[in-house]
Structure formats: structure tokens, C-alpha cells
Amino acid sequence: MFSKLKKALGGSDEKPKAVDQESVVITEKRENAEPAPAGSKKPRVGYIHLSGCTGDGMSLTENYDILDVVLTDMIDIVYGQTLVDLWEMPEMDLCLIEGSACLQDEHSIKELFEAREKSTLICAFGSCAVNSCFTTYARGGQQAQPKHESFVPISQLIKVDLALPGCPVGPEMIRKTIVALVEGDMTYLQPAMDIASCATACGCDLLTNIIRNGRCTGCGTCALSCQTRAINMIQGRPHKNDARCIKCGSCITMCPRNWLPEEQIKKDIGL
Ligand code: SF4
Ligand code: SF4
């Protein structure tokens, strides 16, 4: 499990191979999940919460129909403030990091660097971690931590391997990513790897990556996923109001045309 992703990120020149289309479309519960055989090592996963609203963690738990299988048979949660009674950070295969990094918060910064050191893979989980989302606009003065005023995407401080934007990340996106990780479905994971070092995912990316490339089907998912109602569908195409955009990246992430392999899209539109 995770081995294809580790290999792809390990500097191999070999481009990850596309897998068959059947495994790209993953919507059903993983009924036939095979428990790891006795003695085999399950991936060790950690969860760190930095500056954000906890929405991504809640979104994760909304996958209750597969979480029992994932948590019991597929992975070991080895680190997480509210999940594991352990203060020392152990070695991990994957660490999910929610929230942006506050530069005035020494504890968080130390934890972030330690996670990079101890985890083979780092996933920026949610828009605050990916591009700092609404925390970008924080100017300090908050009751609990008045001196906290500078929040940056975690990729500005450490190398990130996988990024899942969204405010919060959609439960369906989490679910599909979990299964893709388990299946080693690199075609599905590629967009999340591509935006791992991109700290600017936003509605503008819809225009450059989807609409101008002829990928948009006018489905309206982007408009529905925008929590600030910055997108209106006009004549079947999304139009963004910049004044309302908080650059959370939900729209580009939730767009179904963003998560299809390029070859498949070209085939769909007859190129
Ligand atoms: Fe177009 Fe993607 Fe928005 Fe659907 S979600 S309307 S395909 S840009
Ligand atoms: Fe987020 Fe809406 Fe801006 Fe897209 S348009 S990045 S969903 S605020």
C-alpha cells in the first residue's frame, strides 16, 4: 500500500503508468477490502492539525461507511492530537496536515518540520494547508492568540507530496483518494501530486486549466462547491467574481474534469 506513490515521488524517471479506467471511477464502498495479512505492516498514518477550522477532519469522518474498514483493516493511526495518546512523534508512512502554518506559532512550526523528517509522505489536507485559504487574510488580534498574524501554506516551509484542496475537502474526494492510495492508482492521484507545490490553487485555475482547454461540460459543480458564492453559471460556463474569491481551491478540486486523465478527456472530446 502506498508503494506506487512512494516510488513515483522517489525521483524515478519512469512516468507513473495509467491504470485501467475501472479503477479510476471509484464510488462504491470497498466491499472486498482485504485485511492486511497477519504480520504484514499496515501503513502508519499521522494527522496534524495546525491553523484552520477543523472542517477537513469533520469531512473525513463523514466517510463513516468506509472508515471502519479503513481504520480497522488498512491503516494504523499512529499520531494525532485527539486520536492517539502519544506525545512523541513516531516514524510515519503518511502524515495528513490540516491547516496553514502560523509563523508566530513556534510549536506548530516545530511539529511541521518534525513531521517532514519523520513521515515518508506529506499530504496537505484542505485549502488552509494547501494555499492558506481564508487564514491568508488574518491580521492578528484574535482573542486567544493576538500575536498570530502570518499564516502560510505548508508548502512554503516543507516539501509536500500530495495536496487535497477544498474548504473543506469534499468527503467524496477524500474517499476516492483513500481508495486510490490503497489501489496505487497513480492516474487518479496525479493531479493531487501536481498541485502539491502550488500555493495558488484558486478559481482562476478553472479558467486556465479547464475552460480554455475545452474540458468544461458546464456541470456547475464548481459553483455549488464555492462557499462564498463567487461563481455564477452564465450560458453554461462558470464566471468568477474575484471580489468574493478567498482562493480556497474547492472549485478546481471538485471539478470532475480536473480529475480525469488527459488522454481520457482528449478521447471524450474527440481529439
Ligand atoms: Fe465546468 Fe468543471 Fe465547473 Fe463543471 S465543475 S462547470 S466542468 S469548470
Ligand atoms: Fe474557492 Fe469559490 Fe474562489 Fe473557487 S471561486 S477558489 S471555490 S472561493
Side-chain angles (χ1 to χ4, degrees):
M1 207 183 288
F2 300 174
S3 56
K4 284 192 188 175
L5 180 59
K6 285 181 193 170
K7 195 174 164 208
L9 293 164
S12 162
D13 291 337
E14 202 181 316
K15 209 171 179 325
K17 284 199 186 93
V19 292
D20 58 289
Q21 195 56 25
E22 215 179 315
S23 58
V24 175
V25 183
I26 304 159
T27 52
E28 298 304 316
K29 179 176 177 179
R30 194 177 146 80
E31 298 282 6
N32 302 322
E34 287 168 23
S40 79
K41 191 171 164 280
K42 287 191 273 179
R44 295 158 60 81
V45 178
Y47 196 100
I48 290 177
H49 187 250
L50 301 178
S51 301
C53 69
T54 318
D56 301 301
M58 291 182 71
S59 201
L60 173 67
T61 62
E62 276 176 38
N63 284 292
Y64 24 76
D65 55 339
I66 61 161
L67 269 189
D68 57 340
V69 181
V70 172
L71 296 177
T72 315
D73 301 331
M74 297 183 186
I75 62 168
D76 277 332
I77 299 279
V78 293
Y79 185 73
Q81 282 165 345
T82 52
L83 302 171
V84 182
D85 189 14
L86 182 73
W87 288 99
E88 288 289 314
M89 190 185 293
E91 300 289 325
M92 298 171 279
D93 293 302
L94 171 71
C95 186
L96 301 172
I97 299 184
E98 174 178 1
S100 60
C102 172
L103 297 178
Q104 287 80 32
D105 185 344
E106 282 177 34
H107 171 77
S108 290
I109 301 296
K110 188 168 165 280
E111 196 176 26
L112 187 60
F113 282 114
E114 190 177 355
R116 181 62 281 182
E117 226 178 274
K118 294 192 169 164
S119 182
T120 310
L121 301 169
I122 294 281
C123 174
F125 190 58
S127 287
C128 284
V130 177
N131 54 34
S132 75
C133 196
F134 68 89
T135 64
T136 305
Y137 305 106
R139 290 291 175 264
Q142 300 94 329
Q143 278 296 319
Q145 303 282 4
K147 291 189 178 159
H148 287 193
E149 59 180 18
S150 316
F151 298 83
V152 297
I154 62 168
S155 64
Q156 286 197 6
L157 299 177
I158 62 167
K159 179 179 174 291
V160 173
D161 302 303
L162 203 64
L164 294 181
C167 182
V169 191
E172 183 75 1
M173 178 71 64
I174 298 171
R175 169 199 193 87
K176 288 180 177 176
T177 304
I178 290 173
V179 182
L181 279 166
V182 172
E183 304 278 355
D185 182 348
M186 297 309 302
T187 304
Y188 188 81
L189 294 174
Q190 193 63 51
M193 290 160 65
D194 290 344
I195 56 173
S197 57
C198 165
T200 56
C202 93
C204 305
D205 297 327
L206 278 180
L207 188 69
T208 51
N209 296 350
I210 310 293
I211 302 168
R212 283 189 188 147
N213 288 340
R215 294 181 176 197
C216 178
T217 59
C219 69
T221 306
C222 51
L224 283 173
S225 72
C226 177
Q227 72 274 33
T228 63
R229 293 290 174 263
I231 298 178
N232 286 322
M233 296 301 291
I234 300 174
Q235 294 185 333
R237 290 288 176 270
H239 287 249
K240 184 172 72 93
N241 177 348
D242 288 339
R244 296 183 78 104
C245 177
I246 59 168
K247 299 189 183 299
C248 68
S250 291
C251 51
I252 181 76
T253 314
M254 296 307 286
C255 170
R257 303 297 281 180
N258 189 32
W259 287 82
L260 276 179
E262 184 107 16
E263 299 77 46
Q264 183 64 38
I265 291 171
K266 281 187 179 156
K267 205 168 134 202
D268 288 353
I269 60 179
L271 290 177

